[in-house]
Amino acid sequence: AIRLLTQKHDLDCETILITAGPTRELLDPVRFISNRSSGKMGYAMAEAAATRGARVILVSGPVQLTPPEGVEVVPVQTAVEMRDAVLAHLDAATVIIKTAAVADYYVAAVPTHKVKKTAMRFSLELEPTPDILAEVGRRKKDQLLIGFAAETENVVAEARRKLLAKNCD
């Protein structure tokens, strides 16, 4: 509580849109593909921004975290849901921070029933998900856009490529 009383409120005039966590893309009605994102980085950024006085909109994939106090949370599951939520709040935002680990692919034709396990091989045909960061980069006006690059090799080169290709700041 003491920290909150002494914290600067230098973000009072900002509306910060933050994405966090993974997305889940359905394989069938009971299974999905996802990734290991915990959402901790996005939630920590949301808490810090709210503490500094910002209005915070947190678009969150499925995580096991308690939302920070005073933050508007928009829960989503899929990449398309995350895209729609981000675009719905984009005009209100002065800063967009995209920490979410959005799935790169989804199954375009999800079966209506559980796919039963058999001894036969099973193949998936995957389609690319919308590139939310690139779309926001094209649409942004006088907004600060921060993106992240989770890489396993050529980290600096790939981060720089993404910065330029997606019009990040």
Side-chain angles (χ1 to χ4, degrees), residues 10-168:
D10 55 344
L11 298 177
D12 285 341
C13 298
E14 305 293 342
T15 297
I16 302 180
L17 174 60
I18 300 172
T19 63
T23 59
R24 291 179 177 170
E25 306 302 327
L26 291 178
L27 298 176
D28 67 18
V30 299
R31 296 182 186 94
F32 58 84
I33 54 175
S34 191
N35 58 59
R36 293 183 176 136
S37 174
S38 67
K40 289 179 182 179
M41 181 167 57
Y43 275 61
M45 289 188 159
E47 181 178 25
T51 299
R52 291 174 58 185
R55 173 183 175 223
V56 179
I57 303 165
L58 178 62
V59 178
S60 178
V63 297
Q64 300 298 314
L65 300 171
T66 302
E69 194 171 315
V71 168
E72 177 185 343
V73 179
V74 180
V76 299
Q77 292 285 321
T78 68
V80 169
E81 289 175 3
M82 184 167 284
R83 176 196 174 270
D84 292 347
V86 166
L87 295 181
H89 293 91
L90 186 60
D91 289 341
T94 56
V95 178
I96 303 104
I97 304 173
K98 297 277 295 114
T99 69
V102 180
D104 292 325
Y105 296 95
Y106 74 105
V107 176
V110 177
T112 56
H113 299 287
K114 177 183 172 187
V115 176
K116 302 289 185 191
K117 182 177 180 181
T118 67
M120 296 173 52
R121 291 180 59 104
F122 180 72
S123 296
L124 296 172
E125 187 169 334
L126 301 174
E127 299 284 336
T129 58
D131 189 333
I132 304 167
L133 183 59
E135 187 168 357
V136 170
R138 287 189 302 272
R139 290 180 178 222
K140 74 175 183 166
K141 297 176 178 82
D142 189 24
Q143 298 156 304
L144 181 67
L145 176 60
I146 301 167
F148 288 81
E151 300 294 337
T152 57
E153 57 188 4
N154 303 320
V155 176
V156 174
E158 282 302 307
R160 186 169 309 284
R161 181 197 60 75
K162 189 172 188 178
L163 173 79
L164 297 172
K166 301 190 188 227
N167 197 26
C168 293

